[in-house]
Amino acid sequence: MKQQEQAPKPQQQKKRRPNKRRSGKPASCTETKRAIRTVERLLRKPDLPEHVREAQGRKLGQLKEQLVEQSAAFRTKELEIKMSTKYRKVKFFERQKITRKLDQIAKKEQTGEGDPEDLAAERLRWQRDLFYISNYPKTEPYISLFLSAEKDTEEVRQKRQEVRDKIDAAAANKTKSKHAVDLEEEEHIQEVEDDFFVAAPEASEDDEPQPVEKPKKRSGTPDTGKKKKKTKKSRNSEAE
C-alpha cells in the first residue's frame, strides 16, 4: 500500500508583542536607555551634518532628563508597594476598631444615651483617626495609633503629630486648589453669559409686536369630503 502523502501544514505566524508607545502607555526606563544608546551611536559618526548633530544633542539631553525622572518615579513606586505590603494588616485592624467605635457612638445618639456634645466630640476624634489611616503618606513607615504604654513614647507621639499636621496641610491645599478651579469655572461661565446678553439686541418700548399670519386653509378639500359623505347617505335613504 502506498503511503498517503500528507499535505504540508500552514506556517504559523509569530505573535508580535504590542508596542507600548502605540498603545498610549509611557515609555519605560529600558526604552529610554535604548533610545539614549541609539542617539549616542549616531553622534559618534564623523560625517554627521552639523544641524543633525545639534538636534540629536538636544534630544540626548531631553532623554537623559526623562530617564532621571523615570528612575525616581520607579523607586518611589517600589517604596510605596513595600510600605503598603508591610503595614496592610496593621491599618486594616485599626480601621476596623475605629469603625466599631463610630457604630457604637451612632447607636448611643439614636437611643439618646450620654451627652450629645461629648458624643459629637468623640465622633470627631475617631473620624480624625480614620482620616489619618486613609491618608497616611505612602512612602513613610506607618506609626500606629494603638500602641502600648511602653512603645508610645514622647518621641513617637511627636512624630505622629507631625504626620497629622502634614496630612491636614495636604488636605487643605487640595481643598484650596479645588475651590480656585471652581471659581475660575464660575467666572468663565459668567463672562460667557455677559457676552451673550451684550450681543443680543435689546427690544425698545416703542416697538409694537407684529401679528403672526396664520396659514390659510385650502378651500374645497375638507368641505367636498363632507358633501360627498352626505350625498352617499342621501342616496342610501332614497333607495330604501
Side-chain angles (χ1 to χ4, degrees):
M1 295 177 65
K2 295 182 179 180
Q3 295 180 355
Q4 294 179 356
E5 295 181 358
Q6 295 180 355
K9 295 182 179 180
Q11 295 181 356
Q12 294 180 355
Q13 295 181 355
K14 294 183 180 179
K15 294 182 180 180
R16 295 182 179 180
R17 294 181 180 179
N19 193 350
K20 291 185 178 180
R21 294 182 183 178
R22 291 181 182 176
S23 59
K25 295 181 180 179
S28 61
C29 294
T30 307
E31 292 180 351
T32 307
K33 290 178 182 179
R34 189 182 299 117
I36 288 172
R37 289 193 297 270
T38 303
V39 175
E40 288 176 346
R41 194 181 304 113
L42 182 62
L43 290 173
R44 284 196 292 269
K45 293 183 177 181
D47 56 345
L48 194 66
E50 191 64 25
H51 66 281
V52 177
R53 188 178 296 276
E54 291 178 0
Q56 293 299 320
R58 289 193 298 268
K59 183 179 179 181
L60 181 61
Q62 293 174 0
L63 287 172
K64 287 183 177 180
E65 291 178 0
Q66 182 179 344
L67 181 62
V68 172
E69 294 175 358
Q70 287 175 343
S71 301
F74 180 74
R75 288 193 295 270
T76 303
K77 191 67 178 178
E78 276 192 336
L79 186 58
E80 288 179 0
I81 294 171
K82 180 181 177 182
M83 292 298 171
S84 175
T85 307
K86 185 176 182 180
Y87 299 105
R88 183 182 299 170
K89 289 184 179 180
V90 179
K91 288 183 178 181
F92 173 77
F93 289 123
E94 290 189 355
R95 194 181 292 111
Q96 291 292 105
K97 187 180 292 185
I98 293 171
T99 305
R100 284 196 295 269
K101 293 288 184 182
L102 290 172
D103 292 340
Q104 292 174 4
I105 293 170
K107 288 181 181 179
K108 288 181 181 180
E109 288 176 346
Q110 290 177 358
T111 56
E113 298 179 6
D115 189 6
E117 294 182 358
D118 294 341
L119 291 174
E122 188 178 359
R123 184 180 66 253
L124 181 62
R125 183 171 65 84
W126 289 118
Q127 286 176 349
R128 277 182 55 81
D129 290 343
L130 193 63
F131 187 77
Y132 170 86
I133 296 171
S134 301
N135 296 273
Y136 197 89
K138 297 180 181 180
T139 57
E140 296 182 11
Y142 180 70
I143 302 174
S144 178
L145 293 169
F146 305 99
L147 293 174
S148 59
E150 297 177 355
K151 295 182 179 180
D152 197 12
T153 59
E154 184 65 27
E155 184 179 359
V156 173
R157 288 195 294 270
Q158 186 177 357
K159 288 182 179 179
R160 189 188 295 121
Q161 187 60 39
E162 290 176 358
V163 175
R164 282 185 187 274
D165 296 339
K166 189 187 296 185
I167 293 171
D168 294 339
N173 292 332
K174 187 176 180 180
T175 305
K176 287 181 181 178
S177 61
K178 185 178 180 182
H179 182 61
V181 171
D182 294 340
L183 286 177
E184 288 180 359
E185 290 180 355
E186 289 179 1
E187 291 176 357
H188 178 66
I189 292 170
Q190 188 64 32
E191 289 177 359
V192 173
E193 290 179 353
D194 294 341
D195 295 340
F196 173 76
F197 287 114
V198 168
E202 295 182 357
S204 60
E205 295 179 356
D206 298 334
D207 295 340
E208 296 181 356
Q210 297 180 358
V212 180
E213 294 182 357
K214 296 182 179 180
K216 295 180 179 180
K217 294 182 179 180
R218 294 182 180 179
S219 59
T221 52
D223 298 337
T224 52
K226 291 180 181 178
K227 288 180 180 179
K228 287 180 180 180
K229 290 181 180 179
K230 288 180 180 179
T231 53
K232 287 181 180 180
K233 288 182 180 179
S234 60
R235 287 175 184 175
N236 292 332
S237 60
E238 290 176 358
E240 292 175 355

